[in-house]
Amino acid sequence: MAALTKHIHTHFFQPLFASFNFQSRSHRSSTRISPTLSFRNSDSHFIEALKLVDEFDPEIPLEKAVTPPSSWYTDPSFFDLELDRVFHRGWQAVGYVEQLKDPHDFFTGRLGNVEYVVCKDNNKKVRAFHNVCRHHASLLASGCGKKSCFVCPYHGWTYGLDGGLLKATRINGIQNFDVNDFGLVPLPVATWGPFVLLNMDEKLSSELVVDEDKVAHEWLGSCADLLSLNGVDASLGFVCRREYTIECNWKVFCDNYLDGGYHVPYAHKGLASNLKLESYSTEIFEAVSIQSCKGGGESKGDDYGRLGPEALYAFVYPNFMINRYGPWMDTNLVLPLGPRKCLVVFDYFLETPFKNDESFIQQSLEDSESVQIEDIILCEGVQKGLESPAYKFGRYAPSVENAMHHFHRLLHLNLTK
């Protein structure tokens, strides 16, 4: 893996039972949506939550600042505000391109109250839609795999991979029905490197032509090239996925990731023995922070073990983490499930020469699992502490927790827009 570039400045800113088939429908069917799409709430819905936002002042310098109050991590109304202002706006990582290698490949997911399906159509175009049948709101697909079309399991309405309605069952006698108005509701989708991104802002829901260079700038800002130079690319092969449901607010997991290695020597003694923690450094970009640390294990030639000569940890606001070390890359996607619960999805990738080294892979995954279990214990303990009447807010350790402060400032910015 290439060495991390240093000295980067901080940036802000029929008959009854007949079916209707629509194979000859207009191509506009997947984009012309008649009903108004809106899952964003007005400010009046969030009066109490917005008061909580004001309890954190992002303008106070790190050395004097206090952390956001515990209510940011416990209050249900605040959680609803985050879904509206943070997760339903902007680009979000939802998967990886290897899930869509061939036509008819698809995967599904959920973020907040948005159910989505992403697929590769017959023309090898990546598309994304709300995973909701336009008849009576059933989910169309689940999991991942291959489909030549999406057939609703409830009443059999059928949609093409371009989102158009192909068949509506048993609608003889229906009036004022235009097939072009009942295709799947599209979502803007893009790829960057090995990742698939969605944007759930309803203002963009009809913009199916996406400029991926613009997306890269919006999502990663000025550090997109830096990540590519440091081995974050599509050349790595997928190894496996592991998921952890954790009894903590999604931000607790992010905060733990962003403490500049502060907790590593206390909570991860095995990991700490393979890192030169005195070399730990953090650099801040527009919506990304990058932590890096030299490998500290015994090297034999070019062999530094699982972590390699340098570990890079990139946090992409608001909830995505990219870890590049040795021949490995793993990603952590933190999905909010409620005020005190989240799902963390780990995807593991490996450089091609190591794909058949089963003992190395197994040992590396076991080492990673140990670290995750240690972090889960920490995060669930923090959540319980946040819910205690003894805790209101905390302080930052200025020498190491600047990335965490940056995360909280970005949150405040989103929540007040």
Side-chain angles (χ1 to χ4, degrees):
M1 181 176 68
L4 179 66
T5 305
K6 300 294 183 181
H7 309 301
I8 305 297
H9 296 291
T10 299
H11 305 272
F12 274 99
F13 53 93
Q14 20 232 343
L16 182 63
F17 299 102
S19 299
F20 283 14
N21 289 278
F22 307 113
Q23 299 289 353
S24 61
R25 73 190 189 283
S26 165
H27 289 292
R28 62 196 172 94
S29 59
S30 62
T31 59
R32 182 186 170 197
I33 305 300
S34 173
T36 301
L37 172 66
S38 180
F39 43 85
R40 182 176 293 176
N41 293 294
S42 64
D43 282 355
S44 61
H45 182 77
F46 297 122
I47 292 175
E48 294 305 315
L50 289 168
K51 292 177 183 177
L52 302 178
V53 175
D54 290 337
E55 293 184 20
F56 175 75
D57 187 346
E59 300 304 318
I60 298 176
L62 175 63
E63 295 77 11
K64 298 180 180 179
V66 297
T67 65
S70 57
S71 57
W72 279 33
Y73 300 80
T74 60
D75 190 282
S77 70
F78 194 87
F79 176 76
D80 291 340
L81 177 64
E82 288 179 325
L83 292 181
D84 184 80
R85 301 283 174 89
V86 177
F87 291 100
H88 292 164
R89 305 185 189 185
W91 291 98
Q92 309 280 339
V94 295
Y96 51 94
V97 295
E98 199 168 337
Q99 292 174 286
L100 303 171
K101 287 195 297 187
D102 302 311
H104 301 181
D105 286 347
F106 79 95
F107 67 86
T108 62
R110 178 185 177 94
L111 184 56
N113 63 351
V114 179
E115 299 278 356
Y116 58 82
V117 57
V118 185
C119 65
K120 180 170 280 190
D121 71 13
N122 296 325
N123 297 316
K124 299 184 178 181
K125 179 179 176 61
V126 176
R127 296 180 180 270
F129 306 96
H130 287 266
N131 184 21
V132 179
C133 180
R134 296 296 305 281
H135 178 221
H136 284 319
S138 172
L139 297 187
L140 282 173
S142 61
C144 60
K146 284 184 176 292
K147 287 184 181 292
S148 59
C149 58
F150 296 112
V151 180
C152 178
Y154 196 11
H155 296 117
W157 283 37
T158 302
Y159 302 85
L161 299 184
D162 64 352
L165 179 61
L166 298 178
K167 182 172 71 174
T169 61
R170 300 177 67 168
I171 60 169
N172 188 48
I174 195 171
Q175 298 181 14
N176 302 323
F177 181 83
D178 185 342
V179 60
N180 295 308
D181 290 339
F182 282 85
L184 298 180
V185 180
L187 286 165
V189 61
T191 62
W192 182 87
F195 308 123
V196 178
L197 313 174
L198 292 185
N199 194 321
M200 300 177 189
D201 192 331
E202 72 268 20
K203 291 181 179 178
L204 304 177
S205 62
S206 61
E207 294 183 15
L208 297 185
V209 179
V210 173
D211 182 340
E212 296 202 343
D213 289 336
K214 181 179 178 181
V215 171
H217 178 74
E218 291 176 356
W219 190 51
L220 298 172
S222 59
C223 73
D225 291 341
L226 178 60
L227 290 175
S228 295
L229 288 171
N230 282 276
V232 180
D233 57 50
S235 67
L236 300 162
F238 177 72
V239 177
C240 67
R241 167 172 288 189
R242 291 182 175 176
E243 298 183 352
Y244 304 85
T245 299
I246 307 177
E247 297 293 329
C248 72
N249 184 274
W250 69 277
K251 295 186 295 301
V252 171
F253 190 92
C254 295
D255 288 350
N256 178 71
Y257 185 88
L258 293 170
D259 76 353
Y262 196 170
H263 73 286
V264 171
Y266 309 102
H268 305 308
K269 298 192 186 308
L271 176 62
S273 67
N274 291 302
L275 293 171
K276 293 181 179 178
L277 291 173
E278 68 279 5
S279 71
Y280 214 103
S281 65
T282 302
E283 298 188 76
I284 306 297
F285 301 84
E286 295 89 345
V288 177
S289 60
I290 296 180
Q291 303 171 81
S292 61
C293 187
K294 300 292 185 183
E298 291 293 325
S299 65
K300 297 178 182 179
D302 292 330
D303 182 11
Y304 285 77
R306 179 175 77 98
L307 295 179
E310 184 170 28
L312 177 152
Y313 307 104
F315 177 83
V316 184
Y317 177 83
N319 64 329
F320 191 58
M321 298 143 212
I322 307 168
N323 312 304
R324 189 69 172 92
Y325 47 89
W328 284 95
M329 179 178 74
D330 64 68
T331 61
N332 318 148
L333 177 63
V334 187
L335 300 173
L337 299 180
R340 67 181 323 274
K341 181 180 288 189
C342 64
L343 175 69
V344 184
V345 180
F346 279 71
D347 287 320
Y348 293 88
F349 305 82
L350 190 60
E351 293 175 358
T352 301
F354 294 84
K355 286 296 292 285
N356 296 320
D357 191 339
E358 293 184 7
S359 62
F360 174 73
I361 292 173
Q362 184 62 34
Q363 185 60 55
S364 297
L365 291 174
E366 288 177 4
D367 292 345
S368 177
E369 176 82 4
S370 296
V371 174
Q372 309 326 319
I373 297 303
E374 290 164 351
D375 275 332
I376 288 171
I377 293 170
L378 289 177
C379 290
E380 292 187 340
V382 167
Q383 184 66 36
K384 291 175 181 176
L386 287 163
E387 294 168 356
S388 165
Y391 185 88
K392 174 65 174 176
F393 53 78
R395 296 293 303 271
Y396 299 97
S399 63
V400 287
E401 293 185 318
N402 51 326
M404 187 189 303
H405 185 237
H406 177 242
F407 168 52
H408 295 157
R409 292 182 68 195
L410 289 173
L411 268 174
H412 187 276
L413 180 64
N414 264 183
L415 295 170
T416 52
K417 274 187 171 182

